[in-house]
Amino acid sequence: MTRIYDDPAEFADDQLAGFLDLYSDRVRGVHGGVVSHRAEEPQVAVVIGGGSGHYPAFCGTVGPGLAHGAVVGNIFTSPSAAQAYSVCKAADQGRGVILSFGNYAGDVINFGIAAERLRAEGIDTRIVIVTDDVASAEEEEKRRGIAGDFTVFKVMGAAAAAGHDLDEVERLGRAANAATRSLGVAFSGCTMPGEDDPLFTVPDGHLGLGLGIHGEPGIRDVEMLRAKDLAELLVSELVKNAPADAGRRVGTILNGLGTTKYEELFLLWGHVAKGLRDAGLEIVDPEVGELVTSLDMGGCSLTLMWLDDELDPLWRADAYTPAYRKSGSPLAALREPTADELAEADAVVTAPEAGEAAIRLAGTVRDAFAAIEATLREHEHELGRIDAVAGDGDHGRGMLKGVTAATARLSDAGEDVGGGWLLQQAGQAWAERAGGTSGVLWGAALEAFGRHLDDRATGYPADVVVGGVREFATTIQQLGGAQPGDKTLLDALLPFVDDLEQRVSGGEELAAAWAGAAEVATAKGAETADMRPRIGRARPLAEKSVGTPDAGATSMGLVVTAVGNVLKERNQ
Amino acid sequence: MTRIYDDPAEFADDQLAGFLDLYSDRVRGVHGGVVSHRAEEPQVAVVIGGGSGHYPAFCGTVGPGLAHGAVVGNIFTSPSAAQAYSVCKAADQGRGVILSFGNYAGDVINFGIAAERLRAEGIDTRIVIVTDDVASAEEEEKRRGIAGDFTVFKVMGAAAAAGHDLDEVERLGRAANAATRSLGVAFSGCTMPGEDDPLFTVPDGHLGLGLGIHGEPGIRDVEMLRAKDLAELLVSELVKNAPADAGRRVGTILNGLGTTKYEELFLLWGHVAKGLRDAGLEIVDPEVGELVTSLDMGGCSLTLMWLDDELDPLWRADAYTPAYRKSGSPLAALREPTADELAEADAVVTAPEAGEAAIRLAGTVRDAFAAIEATLREHEHELGRIDAVAGDGDHGRGMLKGVTAATARLSDAGEDVGGGWLLQQAGQAWAERAGGTSGVLWGAALEAFGRHLDDRATGYPADVVVGGVREFATTIQQLGGAQPGDKTLLDALLPFVDDLEQRVSGGEELAAAWAGAAEVATAKGAETADMRPRIGRARPLAEKSVGTPDAGATSMGLVVTAVGNVLKERNQ
């Protein structure tokens, strides 16, 4: 739906006023439309036009290498002859004028009148009508003009910029039109400013094959197709309708009609490109995006211009307009990465050489993960039940996926690696597989813990291990952005770390200290589960995802308890 | 609605594959996203990213002068830490990495983890978070990132391209973020691929003020505003939220969210630009278009970056990416038209010097138009009634408007002008005022008739006048594209001209011949009125508009009869 306007009747003029304000450094407004500022050398003036509602057609493609002026009519309405005359007079540089537009009766009449008037005044004026839409008529000269407007304008704009004379620019424009074919599909109609209902509709779940850009009748309605099949249809129909003397190279446009987004066009392009190549065609400088739209219509069209040695360089040439900008030089300055650079980027980081202590530590890590997996598997459903109260009930499943991925990675690792590196690997595997924000946080925290444990160390005194646990907690705090009391796993974790630090600095042995602190964590986890989740303002995604708060605190209690048991066993 | 896809679950990957195929000459795909080909000199790598569905954010702004890589997540979903890590490794050129993204919890976490991993491998990695959305939180550092992503990325991309080191690029990026404010409005929600219903909605007739680009809650719903009021709201809220040390210059983006079309944005821009200037701000290199979208969401946002001498040149700098291309040089090669050129374009064509015969002819033209006006006024309602059978019933009204405009123009013309020039003027006035295709055709035909009558001639023999009438008919035939029998005014006009030519070449005097031919035309006009309109295939607009067929033939009969009477009178 068209939403932004003041007086709907003034929409076309009002939008043109905004356009002229925006691009006042390169175009000026004249009665009836827009004229580009001039190059030093006079050129044949290519003046394009038609109704509004098709941006960037037509004023968006005025500028160096493309059109010299655009006549701007009301929405979906031909400009008057007086408008076309005025724009041509302003665009004329003494080398004659080409008036070019899609084949619609109103445009044919009005631009035709303007051309007569200009000729009567001694301004040599030629008309090049675009007839690319294969769906609109059997006879080529009766076809409507759609996105093929652009290929024809582009060729003439490039020819004019290259200094060609009027005869030559006209001849090349006609050649471009003769070489261009388009086919469009519509998914939904468009709505005029001030209207609530669309100008036309497409039946639900269907697409209008060949439907015109003002809703003119197409060939037929077809049940909506998958992208792959849609691409096949467009490519095969165009190839079938190729000009008689068609070569192998095609300038290509996959054009969006309005509400069809670039992501959708890219997706379709993947299939279209393959289809064209499978048909033996060489794609030259493809354009995927909006070049001729139809207000907020849903749909797209495919345009092919079969290139010969004459059209090819004109299609490739530079241009610089509000909506279409092309330059070879920034790309020429780029280079692909060297083999060395590629190898460096792809290099897998290998485990650092580990000392004896680190290899012993690796055993503890393996035992700990086995214990964590066992306890999470035992409590999976209970965690899910708790999570379902305030979350989506998948906390048990997610934690189990994380730890399973971690233990699998530990089995894959060699025997002579250190515990610090192993813990980092476990964290990465956990994050990749567990999913959700809490899974990612667990993974990152484990990785940080691992980085804290130097695999070249000769031993791991309790305060070093506790420092790693603090890193684990700090990582979750910093990355997750939650505060204590926010009903997250922190509400079990932070009391655990505080208590652990206190016990160890008070001289307690690590295993005993851990077991004691784990009891605190478990109690806090249970307590947290009794509270209702709080919803804050900022970082809504974090809160929603970390927001399996009671379950998160509960599982934290389970994990530290399991690890505590492993430490006790290995201590004996 | 999102329509083009194969497997909805694979949408993000599939669209990326198409994008990579399309731009394979300048970017390459790596695990997790896209990396630009390299410039010769190594640069600090600016890596941007986030979920898909926001094109051109993020991969569309990778290229010279902007980002060096983009991490591409699933739709509206943060990429994983592993994806971000992989893209950064591939983008790194040995001068360090900036990871920059909008402030969303998932991105903060995953990019944070990736940065830690990179640092652990010795790649200096900095994080610059964009927080421009003033609607999302009071505290600046808690705000979400929306279209201000672009200003921050642009500044850092330009700084990296200028060769600055990591510290400096990071510092400038933070300065750009501190200087950037955005506010958005949503008119309608967006639909995920494969879904029938939108992810969220905006109440009918309202806009969501400050609604986030994933549907996050805004400030409030507001009744839909006229464009002028919407612009005022956006400008005033941003100015109110200006940074403490704000200067006078603002880099500006008016960003479309998806289905809001460029014409609407231009219209709004007219008001926004005025509002900014009224607020004493100088607009620098404004961008109006889609830079950060949200699938097919309706809405827009305004972004201002307050520029100082440091940010100004970085905002203005050239860039060349798939979706954003800027170059000063094509514009520098343009010049505004000279005063002489302007005068030439605006020159009003004056009447050529007229001979005695031409001035006598002018009298006949004036009398003829007075008679045509009288007869059309008399028959206005009858013509309307006839037209209402197959058309819209306004033929009488339209013809009267045309002839009234013509006679007014004749009164305005001086006394010493020739009949040929006068007829051209009458035709132009008729076409401008009568409207509809038949009005335009009448005007053009009169103009052609007038051009045929040389105002320097010493007399107007019957065959010259008849030649003018033939021009009149040919013009309508050529411009309108209708054929005899198509139920248009041609069905009265062509028999008239044929008969007139025959009589005159047979030696009959002009007035008598005209009167006789007029009877034929009237009879044919009446006959035509008995037939049902025929609808052909090609040129639907022409047929619909010229398609007041019976009424058109009838009025043609009336007109030639009235003119015949004038010729007879003046002959006496």
Side-chain angles (χ1 to χ4, degrees):
Chain A
M1 199 164 143
T2 301
R3 313 262 186 168
I4 300 180
Y5 50 83
D6 297 297
D7 176 354
E10 302 296 324
F11 184 88
D13 284 348
D14 290 350
Q15 65 91 18
L16 183 59
F19 175 86
L20 290 170
D21 179 290
L22 183 63
Y23 293 112
S24 60
D25 57 346
R26 59 200 85 176
V27 298
R28 66 192 173 95
V30 297
H31 172 69
V34 174
V35 176
S36 174
H37 290 351
R38 298 184 176 195
E40 257 332 302
E41 287 297 308
Q43 297 175 6
V44 169
V46 177
V47 175
I48 62 178
S52 294
H54 302 300
Y55 193 86
F58 295 93
C59 57
T61 53
V62 168
L66 247 154
H68 301 78
V71 194
V72 180
N74 235 312
I75 298 196
F76 292 1
T77 304
S78 169
S80 73
Q83 287 181 297
Y85 165 85
S86 156
V87 174
C88 288
K89 269 204 84 166
D92 175 44
Q93 301 177 15
R95 298 196 59 192
V97 174
I98 305 265
L99 247 176
S100 190
F101 47 89
N103 186 31
Y104 298 94
D107 295 317
V108 171
I109 293 170
N110 284 298
F111 292 140
I113 295 168
E116 281 303 328
R117 208 173 287 171
L118 292 159
R119 285 182 204 125
E121 285 184 24
I123 298 177
D124 198 350
T125 306
R126 312 290 172 84
I127 281 183
V128 175
I129 300 179
V130 183
T131 57
D132 58 315
D133 182 2
V134 301
S136 56
E138 279 299 319
E139 307 94 313
E140 285 176 27
E141 73 284 0
K142 288 194 176 170
R143 290 175 179 168
R144 298 186 292 253
I146 51 175
D149 281 358
F150 184 81
T151 59
V152 178
F153 301 163
K154 173 74 175 69
V155 162
M156 291 193 291
H164 288 303
D165 67 14
L166 188 63
D167 285 341
E168 187 67 357
V169 177
E170 180 188 7
R171 186 184 68 75
L172 289 163
R174 291 188 191 283
N177 183 56
T180 299
R181 301 287 185 274
S182 299
L183 178 63
V185 294
F187 309 135
S188 60
C190 55
T191 309
M192 305 283 273
E195 300 293 325
D196 288 327
D197 296 317
L199 195 60
F200 58 92
T201 56
V202 178
D204 255 6
H206 287 71
L207 57 83
L209 180 63
L211 197 78
I213 55 172
H214 314 95
E216 297 93 342
I219 300 173
R220 63 179 183 275
D221 290 335
V222 177
E223 263 190 68
M224 188 63 204
L225 297 168
R226 283 189 322 157
K228 189 171 174 301
D229 300 325
L230 175 56
E232 210 173 283
L233 174 69
L234 293 172
V235 169
S236 64
E237 284 295 319
L238 288 190
V239 168
K240 204 189 295 173
N241 278 283
D245 55 348
R248 230 170 51 80
R249 282 168 290 169
V250 283
T252 309
I253 300 173
L254 181 59
N255 176 61
L257 286 180
T259 61
T260 298
K261 300 316 302 164
Y262 276 71
E263 284 93 343
E264 295 177 85
L265 295 175
F266 292 141
L267 192 152
L268 188 60
W269 173 253
H271 297 301
V272 166
K274 185 177 179 309
L276 293 172
R277 288 182 196 121
D278 286 351
L281 296 170
E282 180 195 336
I283 301 165
V284 178
D285 281 15
E287 297 291 339
V288 176
E290 296 184 349
L291 285 172
V292 178
T293 65
S294 193
L295 288 174
D296 58 338
M297 184 166 164
C300 62
S301 60
L302 180 64
T303 297
L304 300 179
M305 174 165 64
W306 275 265
L307 301 171
D308 55 19
D309 290 345
E310 208 167 52
L311 295 176
D312 188 296
L314 299 168
W315 172 245
R316 292 180 194 261
D318 286 1
Y320 197 81
T321 76
Y324 181 82
R325 301 173 191 183
K326 183 174 188 171
S327 173
S329 59
L331 297 183
L334 295 181
R335 61 174 181 81
E336 299 191 34
T338 61
D340 277 1
E341 286 165 346
L342 284 177
E344 202 177 316
D346 290 344
V348 176
V349 180
T350 50
E353 199 149 330
E356 237 176 87
I359 291 174
R360 250 196 330 272
L361 178 65
T364 310
V365 169
R366 289 178 206 272
D367 285 358
F369 273 89
I372 296 170
E373 184 177 344
T375 194
L376 288 176
R377 193 175 298 282
E378 186 187 338
H379 293 90
E380 180 191 348
H381 297 294
E382 181 195 340
L383 290 171
R385 267 199 312 277
I386 300 175
D387 182 33
V389 177
D392 45 11
D394 66 351
H395 183 70
R397 182 91 210 102
M399 289 293 286
L400 191 57
K401 272 169 81 172
V403 76
T404 310
T407 51
R409 182 77 64 92
L410 298 186
S411 316
D412 290 349
E415 282 303 313
D416 52 355
V417 296
W421 190 77
L422 212 51
L423 204 46
Q424 292 177 51
Q425 297 304 306
Q428 292 187 15
W430 185 307
E432 279 159 37
R433 292 284 304 149
T437 307
S438 72
V440 173
L441 291 175
W442 261 96
L446 290 167
E447 203 179 338
F449 193 168
R451 270 197 297 270
H452 189 76
L453 303 174
D454 181 357
D455 283 339
R456 290 155 307 184
T458 52
Y460 300 92
D463 63 325
V464 168
V465 176
V466 172
V469 177
R470 175 57 72 188
E471 278 295 313
F472 181 100
T474 305
T475 299
I476 288 180
Q477 251 182 310
Q478 284 179 348
L479 292 175
Q483 298 299 321
D486 277 355
K487 298 282 302 163
T488 69
L489 56 84
L490 288 177
D491 294 345
L493 176 60
L494 293 178
F496 169 76
V497 188
D498 292 344
D499 193 62
L500 182 65
E501 274 177 350
Q502 220 169 354
R503 286 171 192 263
V504 166
S505 67
E508 227 174 294
E509 262 203 319
L510 180 64
W514 190 293
E519 275 176 42
V520 173
T522 305
K524 285 288 177 183
E527 200 176 291
T528 303
D530 289 328
M531 290 155 40
R532 293 176 58 84
R534 216 188 320 154
I535 304 296
R537 181 128 190 275
R539 310 215 166 168
L541 286 183
E543 287 183 353
K544 196 175 152 218
S545 307
V546 179
T548 46
D550 24 19
T554 308
S555 61
M556 181 59 68
L558 291 170
V559 168
V560 292
T561 303
V563 174
N565 292 337
V566 169
L567 293 178
K568 225 185 291 176
E569 271 168 43
R570 286 187 72 94
N571 220 17
Q572 286 163 350
Chain B
M1 199 163 140
T2 302
R3 313 261 187 169
I4 300 180
Y5 50 84
D6 298 296
D7 176 353
E10 301 298 323
F11 184 88
D13 284 347
D14 290 350
Q15 65 91 19
L16 184 58
F19 175 88
L20 290 170
D21 178 290
L22 183 64
Y23 294 113
S24 58
D25 57 346
R26 59 199 85 176
V27 297
R28 66 192 173 95
V30 296
H31 173 69
V34 174
V35 176
S36 174
H37 290 351
R38 299 183 176 196
E40 257 332 301
E41 287 297 308
Q43 297 176 6
V44 168
V46 177
V47 175
I48 62 179
S52 293
H54 302 299
Y55 194 85
F58 296 91
C59 58
T61 53
V62 168
L66 246 154
H68 300 78
V71 194
V72 180
N74 235 312
I75 299 195
F76 291 1
T77 304
S78 169
S80 72
Q83 286 182 299
Y85 165 84
S86 156
V87 174
C88 288
K89 268 204 86 166
D92 175 43
Q93 302 176 13
R95 298 196 58 192
V97 175
I98 305 266
L99 247 177
S100 189
F101 47 87
N103 186 30
Y104 297 94
D107 295 315
V108 172
I109 293 170
N110 284 298
F111 292 140
I113 295 170
E116 281 303 329
R117 207 173 287 172
L118 291 159
R119 284 181 205 126
E121 286 184 23
I123 298 176
D124 197 350
T125 305
R126 312 291 172 85
I127 282 184
V128 175
I129 300 179
V130 183
T131 57
D132 58 314
D133 182 0
V134 300
S136 56
E138 279 301 318
E139 306 94 312
E140 287 175 27
E141 74 283 2
K142 288 194 175 170
R143 291 175 178 167
R144 297 186 292 253
I146 51 174
D149 280 358
F150 184 81
T151 59
V152 178
F153 299 163
K154 173 74 174 70
V155 162
M156 290 193 291
H164 289 301
D165 68 13
L166 187 64
D167 286 340
E168 186 67 355
V169 177
E170 180 189 9
R171 186 184 66 77
L172 289 163
R174 291 188 191 282
N177 183 56
T180 299
R181 301 286 185 273
S182 299
L183 178 62
V185 294
F187 309 135
S188 59
C190 55
T191 310
M192 305 284 272
E195 300 293 325
D196 288 328
D197 296 316
L199 195 60
F200 58 92
T201 57
V202 179
D204 255 6
H206 286 69
L207 57 82
L209 180 63
L211 197 78
I213 54 172
H214 314 94
E216 297 92 342
I219 299 174
R220 61 179 182 276
D221 290 335
V222 177
E223 264 191 67
M224 189 63 203
L225 297 169
R226 284 188 320 157
K228 189 170 174 302
D229 300 324
L230 175 56
E232 211 173 282
L233 175 70
L234 292 172
V235 169
S236 64
E237 284 295 320
L238 287 190
V239 167
K240 204 188 295 172
N241 277 283
D245 54 348
R248 231 169 51 79
R249 283 168 290 170
V250 282
T252 309
I253 300 172
L254 182 58
N255 175 61
L257 287 180
T259 63
T260 298
K261 300 316 304 163
Y262 276 71
E263 285 93 343
E264 296 177 84
L265 295 175
F266 292 142
L267 192 151
L268 188 60
W269 173 254
H271 297 300
V272 166
K274 185 177 179 309
L276 292 173
R277 288 182 195 119
D278 286 351
L281 296 170
E282 180 196 336
I283 301 164
V284 178
D285 281 15
E287 298 291 339
V288 176
E290 296 183 350
L291 285 172
V292 177
T293 65
S294 193
L295 289 174
D296 59 339
M297 184 164 162
C300 62
S301 60
L302 180 64
T303 297
L304 300 179
M305 174 165 65
W306 275 264
L307 301 171
D308 55 20
D309 291 345
E310 208 168 52
L311 295 176
D312 188 296
L314 298 169
W315 173 245
R316 293 181 193 261
D318 286 2
Y320 197 81
T321 76
Y324 181 83
R325 302 173 190 183
K326 182 174 188 172
S327 172
S329 60
L331 296 183
L334 295 181
R335 61 175 179 81
E336 298 192 34
T338 62
D340 277 1
E341 287 164 345
L342 283 177
E344 202 177 315
D346 290 344
V348 176
V349 180
T350 51
E353 200 150 327
E356 239 175 82
I359 290 173
R360 251 196 330 275
L361 178 66
T364 310
V365 169
R366 287 179 208 273
D367 286 359
F369 272 89
I372 297 170
E373 183 175 345
T375 193
L376 288 177
R377 194 174 297 284
E378 188 187 335
H379 294 90
E380 179 191 349
H381 297 295
E382 181 194 340
L383 290 171
R385 268 198 310 276
I386 299 174
D387 182 33
V389 176
D392 46 11
D394 67 351
H395 183 69
R397 185 89 210 103
M399 289 292 286
L400 191 58
K401 272 170 80 173
V403 74
T404 310
T407 51
R409 181 77 64 92
L410 297 186
S411 319
D412 291 349
E415 282 303 313
D416 51 355
V417 296
W421 191 77
L422 212 52
L423 204 46
Q424 292 177 53
Q425 297 304 304
Q428 292 188 16
W430 187 307
E432 280 161 34
R433 292 283 304 149
T437 307
S438 72
V440 173
L441 291 176
W442 261 96
L446 290 168
E447 203 179 338
F449 193 169
R451 270 198 297 269
H452 190 75
L453 303 174
D454 182 354
D455 283 338
R456 289 154 310 182
T458 52
Y460 299 91
D463 63 325
V464 169
V465 175
V466 172
V469 177
R470 176 57 72 187
E471 280 292 313
F472 181 100
T474 305
T475 299
I476 288 180
Q477 251 182 310
Q478 285 180 347
L479 292 176
Q483 298 300 321
D486 277 356
K487 297 281 303 163
T488 71
L489 56 83
L490 287 178
D491 294 345
L493 177 58
L494 294 179
F496 169 77
V497 188
D498 292 345
D499 194 61
L500 183 65
E501 274 177 352
Q502 219 168 355
R503 287 169 191 266
V504 167
S505 66
E508 226 174 296
E509 262 203 319
L510 180 64
W514 190 293
E519 276 176 43
V520 173
T522 306
K524 286 286 177 185
E527 200 174 291
T528 303
D530 289 329
M531 291 156 39
R532 293 177 58 86
R534 215 186 324 152
I535 304 296
R537 180 128 192 277
R539 309 214 168 171
L541 285 182
E543 288 183 352
K544 196 176 152 218
S545 308
V546 178
T548 46
D550 26 16
T554 308
S555 62
M556 181 58 68
L558 291 170
V559 168
V560 291
T561 304
V563 174
N565 293 337
V566 169
L567 292 178
K568 224 186 289 177
E569 270 167 43
R570 286 187 71 95
N571 220 19
Q572 284 161 353

